[in-house]
Amino acid sequence: MKKICFIVAMQAEADPLIGHFGLKSLGAVFSPAPCHVFQGIYKDLEITLVTNGKDDGTGLDYVGCEAATLTAQLAIAHYCPDLVVNAGTAGGFASKGACVGDVYLSHKYIVFHDRRVGVPGWDRMGKGYYPCIDSDSLARSGGFKQGICTTGSSLDMIAEDAVQMQQTGGEIKDMEAAAIAWVAQLHHTPLLCVKSITDLVGAEKPTASQFRENLNMATRRLGEACFKIVDEYWADDRL
Ligand code: SAH
């Protein structure tokens, strides 16, 4: 049986997937790590979805690279998936044709944009350039856009981040993809990122309020995209 593992930062991003695929909560299987596991069989695929879990103190989802790294390591080592899908929300750039609600698939490689290590060699290592699967046919058949995912530890963007994105070509800005891609690479596990745009970077309205306003719509679109991708994966032996 083919196995897919979704790695998702926020519960709101995960809810449409859990509902559609009929996944059951297994709880905090890896406690004291906070990640939360949901699992089920859909068609004849084993689908595992792992969220980063919530911080007890604030009651908020753990977003960001540290939680994503821990979640990815535990989930990939334990469930040995054939494909990891990092599903989530992201910021896009109007200058690169992004609109709120667009769904992007990872493309070419995945990078960090806030690692400033100005030493030859280490500079490239800091940026990552981790592999992802070829998403051309999925993008064509599903009508998705494709973009280079770029990850940092902040929701906002400072000028230095923009310089790095210019260097790498990064165009889909999030807070987890590169961390997960690093772990997937260590395990030689194929990775696809599916990112729904909640906000446009540099728009007049602050990122946080765009994010809150558009989260519901973006997570619905994210869910619909993931349903199509799973159906395609199930039907296509090449994937
Ligand atoms: N809950 C907070 C925001 C969460 S942080 C609030 O209500 O304001 C944002 C989450 O969405 C992260 O998991 C990140 O991967 C993704 N994200 C969406 N837009 C982003 C952007 N412009 N930059 C970085 N991450 C973004």
Side-chain angles (χ1 to χ4, degrees), residues 9 63 89-91 154-155 173-176 198-199 207 211-212:
V63 298
T89 56
S154 301
L155 187 61
K173 178 177 177 287
D174 86 331
M175 297 175 63
E176 294 88 13
T198 41
D199 54 277
T207 302
F211 179 85
R212 288 200 196 105

Side-chain angles (χ1 to χ4, degrees), residues 110-158:
I110 298 165
V111 285
F112 285 107
H113 57 250
D114 60 357
R115 304 280 182 87
R116 291 182 288 281
V117 190
V119 182
W122 295 81
D123 179 56
R124 188 178 169 88
M125 203 251 270
K127 289 190 175 68
Y129 291 97
Y130 306 118
C132 53
I133 64 166
D134 179 343
S135 62
D136 288 355
S137 68
L138 285 172
R140 250 194 320 273
S141 60
F144 306 120
K145 294 186 172 177
Q146 291 170 290
I148 294 172
C149 294
T150 180
T151 299
S153 292
S154 301
L155 187 61
D156 72 356
M157 186 179 77
I158 57 172

